Amino acid sequence: MYLHGTSQINSDGRLEIGGCDTAELAAKFGTPLYVFDEALIRRRCKEFVEAFRATGMRYQVAYASKAFCVMAMCRIAEEEGMSLDVVSDGELYTALRAGFPPERIHFHGNNKTLEELEMAIDAKIGCVVVDNFTELYMLNETAKEKGVKVKILFRVTPGVEAHTHEFISTGQTDTKFGFDIGNGSAFRAIREAKELEHVEILGVHSHIGSQIFEVDGFRLAADRVAEFAQNVRLELDVTFSVINLGGGFGIRYTEEDSPLPLAKYVQAITDSIKSNFTKHDYPLPEIWIEPGRSIVGDAGTTLYTIGSSKDIPGVRKYVAVDGGMTDNPRPALYDAKYEAFLANRANDPNEETVSIAGKCCETGDMLIRDLELPKTAPGDILAVACTGAYNYSMASNYNRLRRPAVVFVHDGEADLVVRRETFEDVAGKDVIPERMQKQPVAKS
Ligand SMILES: *Cc1c(COP(=O)(O)O)cnc(C)c1O
């Protein structure tokens, strides 16, 4: 059993996170319940920030809020000195409502609407990461109408695709995101933007993938981006002050995953940028990165109550929990793997192999296949580890399930940061057209 952060087994044989007994949390807040180890989130933020500080370079570490975007998390990001990435008006609204400093917010996305750009400009956010020509001209027009100049980065595709253990160098990247360096579209974007009066070019951004365990992909992306920067400087007389190398730093979901210490990624990125830019006598740019999963992923644990089970002799035993693909769509979407154990009887020896099913009407609603567990009974609490990233943020109301509550635990205290949805949340937005209203039954 692998225990993340402050997780430990207490003297009652129960899983404890942040000094809180998870069986008590389940009783108090109900299940499914997302429990976040606040100390571990803060530790991950500090690992990035301190690794950059040690290099002496100028930097921004922007938390990619899409991984887990709630107001309390925006507060932590600010307190830890991070910047923040948003990719929609909803995420921007969340950050602003939490009081996050707008000048440290970066707006991403491949299809920002006019309303979103207006909202971003009105809020005076730090920069817009421009993805395509449509956006570039719409942004310039909107900024012109508002009489302002907007700082921009260009999202470029450097022709590097990184997967967990390998990276692929591709000539032309087949992706919906960004301007391709290889086919000249990135160069053209900068040439055209240079002529626009209401955008200020800070530099370029690249994001090569997710759940990456090696530094080679980042090194190659840094090489390509540096070469591009040098071309742009020589031919267009535009000097980048910011190079953003995105996120994608891998974490440990199961024993098959072997992540690097976060500082290693920072080291590799800063070293590559430093050597590439000094080689060309290029003024050292500020380096930005955008970790999402590696900030919150391993800090999250989901607690479920075990209900029914179905044993098919010689085939498989299903054990069902009170959530599933609604609170964690990743196994169904990506075939993602998770580890889990009994939170209320964590010291009991494993006795059988079971598969954890969700409660949705979908055969594919399976959370974990072939998990070793003690014999379970209805009412036992199952803890699924490493559910902090892309779980709550991807949760749905499929089958009209209510989205779970989220608590932050620390030093023996549990703070509710998202309340569990109510039936009103589920059906209260529905409207029955007048003509379908039930007529009062006439009394005879
Ligand atoms: C999703 C995303 C990130 C964060 O990725 P992680 O794998 O969660 O670190 C960062 N930058 C961009 C542009 C992204 O789309």
Side-chain angles (χ1 to χ4, degrees), residues 64 66 85 108 155 205 207 210-211 247-249 290-293 390:
K66 71 176 197 252
D85 276 4
H108 280 274
R155 176 157 187 167
H205 164 277
H207 173 73
S210 208
Q211 188 62 350
F249 316 107
E290 310 172 317
R293 187 190 314 273
Y390 307 108

Side-chain angles (χ1 to χ4, degrees), residues 144-221:
K144 183 176 172 185
E145 278 162 26
K146 293 180 183 290
V148 294
K149 197 160 185 167
V150 179
K151 293 195 169 85
I152 61 170
L153 289 181
F154 285 95
R155 176 157 187 167
V156 298
T157 47
V160 182
E161 242 182 86
H163 301 272
T164 300
H165 279 296
E166 84 273 34
F167 69 89
I168 304 167
S169 180
T170 54
Q172 183 121 343
T173 320
D174 182 4
T175 160
K176 71 172 182 174
F177 292 111
F179 300 93
D180 205 90
I181 291 182
N183 71 8
S185 123
F187 185 87
R188 182 159 71 85
I190 295 186
R191 194 178 63 209
E192 294 185 20
K194 199 188 153 190
E195 307 304 322
L196 301 178
E197 284 177 22
H198 294 273
V199 294
E200 178 188 339
I201 304 168
L202 295 185
V204 287
H205 164 277
S206 107
H207 173 73
I208 55 173
S210 208
Q211 188 62 350
I212 301 166
F213 292 135
E214 312 281 343
V215 296
D216 307 0
F218 292 104
R219 281 207 189 105
L220 188 63

Side-chain angles (χ1 to χ4, degrees), residues 34 66-69 325-330 333-334 389-397 403:
Y34 297 107
K66 71 176 197 252
F68 171 61
C69 185
M325 64 190 293
T326 39
D327 57 81
N328 184 359
R330 295 188 68 255
L333 266 180
Y334 311 117
Y390 307 108
N391 272 231
Y392 176 75
S393 64
M394 288 185 142
S396 77
N397 289 114
R403 267 179 280 233

Side-chain angles (χ1 to χ4, degrees), residues 93-168:
Y93 175 80
T94 304
L96 294 173
R97 184 163 165 174
F100 197 89
E103 67 277 9
R104 273 157 52 192
I105 298 177
H106 314 149
F107 202 147
H108 280 274
N110 69 306
N111 187 23
K112 303 178 191 78
T113 63
L114 176 61
E115 292 74 20
E116 285 175 323
L117 292 177
E118 286 179 331
M119 185 175 172
I121 293 172
D122 291 344
K124 301 188 168 60
I125 70 162
C127 101
V128 174
V129 184
V130 174
D131 186 276
N132 52 70
F133 286 102
T134 308
E135 179 187 343
L136 175 63
Y137 285 99
M138 183 158 66
L139 179 64
N140 186 63
E141 270 311 299
T142 313
K144 183 176 172 185
E145 278 162 26
K146 293 180 183 290
V148 294
K149 197 160 185 167
V150 179
K151 293 195 169 85
I152 61 170
L153 289 181
F154 285 95
R155 176 157 187 167
V156 298
T157 47
V160 182
E161 242 182 86
H163 301 272
T164 300
H165 279 296
E166 84 273 34
F167 69 89
I168 304 167

